[in-house]
Amino acid sequence: MRIAQLAGRTVLLTPEGAIDVAAASEGRFTGDLFEQWDDLAAWAPGADPSLARPYDEADLEAPVRAPRQIFAVALNYRPHTAEAGYEEPAAPLVFTKFPTCLTGPYATIELPPGHVDWELELVAVIGREAHRVPVEKGWDPVVALTVGQDLSERISQLAGRPAQFSLGKSYPGFGPIGPALVSLDEVPDRDDLELTCELSGQAVQHDRTGNMIFPIPRLVSYLSDFCTLLPGDLIFTGTPAGVGNRRVPQRFLTPDDELVSRIGGVGEMRHHFRRTP
Ligand code: ZN
């Protein structure tokens, strides 16, 4: 199933359109999405397609509103690690994007002063509380995948010794996710999905999630050795090569750009930009 937030309502996205979950279920699914996830997944295939309505994709919002924790992983693809000039990490390198940076899959995003760069990433959505998860059970707490951009203002991200990543990656709108939470049974191969990022018609990033240095089960296991993972938490799993600050010449986002972020079987986001007034 594909669960989205449309103009403040939880909807099921189907080929016929959006089905309002609370109305179609006659009020059965109005509580916490993740507490009801398994029942919702069982109900969704039987939802009445005649209740589907066309919708404006611009009304789609971030499919998770207010996660308590957002984990993000640096240098999780070898070519990106090399372009960034680092050695391959021995363990996941983790920072956070503060949750107020989240925005929807078709938003127009403000560019603060500086060098704002793109980072297409697969985002794993935690649905079950978990602590100390063994690697072989690393998929268990994950109930869905979605597309994410780890937008980053490079000057503030890389200032200081050691650099502190989180603030320069947490401006309002710097964490677009969506368009939907896609349950794991919907994707062709949860361990190997094609990622493509296009900037104003030019492919800038292209890789497969099967090439991650630390695949999702490793990340879940590693993070859960430290933190208790909570329903609704997000894991930005790292970006492939092709970011703007490692290009020659460097290239950063401008108000003239359209940024398309696509993961095969998961979905596509499209963003435009304007300067902060
Ligand atoms: Zn990133």
Side-chain angles (χ1 to χ4, degrees), residues 81-211:
T81 304
E83 75 177 349
Y86 292 100
E87 304 262 305
E88 187 174 316
L93 294 170
V94 180
F95 57 94
T96 191
K97 291 173 77 72
F98 295 104
T100 51
C101 76
L102 293 181
T103 194
Y106 299 96
T108 295
I109 296 167
E110 283 196 359
L111 298 172
H115 295 167
V116 181
D117 203 349
W118 57 87
E119 292 192 2
L120 169 61
E121 309 200 2
L122 179 66
V123 175
V125 183
I126 300 296
R128 303 181 183 98
E129 184 171 319
H131 186 49
R132 295 189 186 131
V133 181
V135 174
E136 60 273 19
K137 294 189 172 181
W139 275 107
D140 287 4
V142 178
V143 294
L145 298 171
T146 196
V147 184
Q149 269 285 346
D150 173 19
L151 296 180
S152 307
E153 195 288 296
R154 298 300 188 193
I155 297 172
S156 47
Q157 178 200 338
L158 299 171
R161 277 173 154 271
Q164 47 161 344
F165 278 20
S166 295
L167 288 175
K169 288 170 170 275
S170 295
Y171 284 91
F174 272 31
I177 56 171
L181 305 181
V182 180
S183 57
L184 301 180
D185 59 307
E186 286 266 327
V187 297
D189 179 353
R190 65 187 186 178
D191 293 301
D192 189 30
L193 299 165
E194 183 178 21
L195 308 125
T196 310
C197 180
E198 292 170 2
L199 180 63
S200 298
Q202 182 198 356
V204 287
Q205 294 187 287
H206 185 234
D207 207 334
R208 302 191 68 87
T209 61
N211 292 328

Side-chain angles (χ1 to χ4, degrees), residues 56-68:
D56 184 347
E57 63 186 15
D59 290 332
L60 289 171
E61 298 157 354
V64 178
R65 279 173 198 292
R68 285 169 282 187

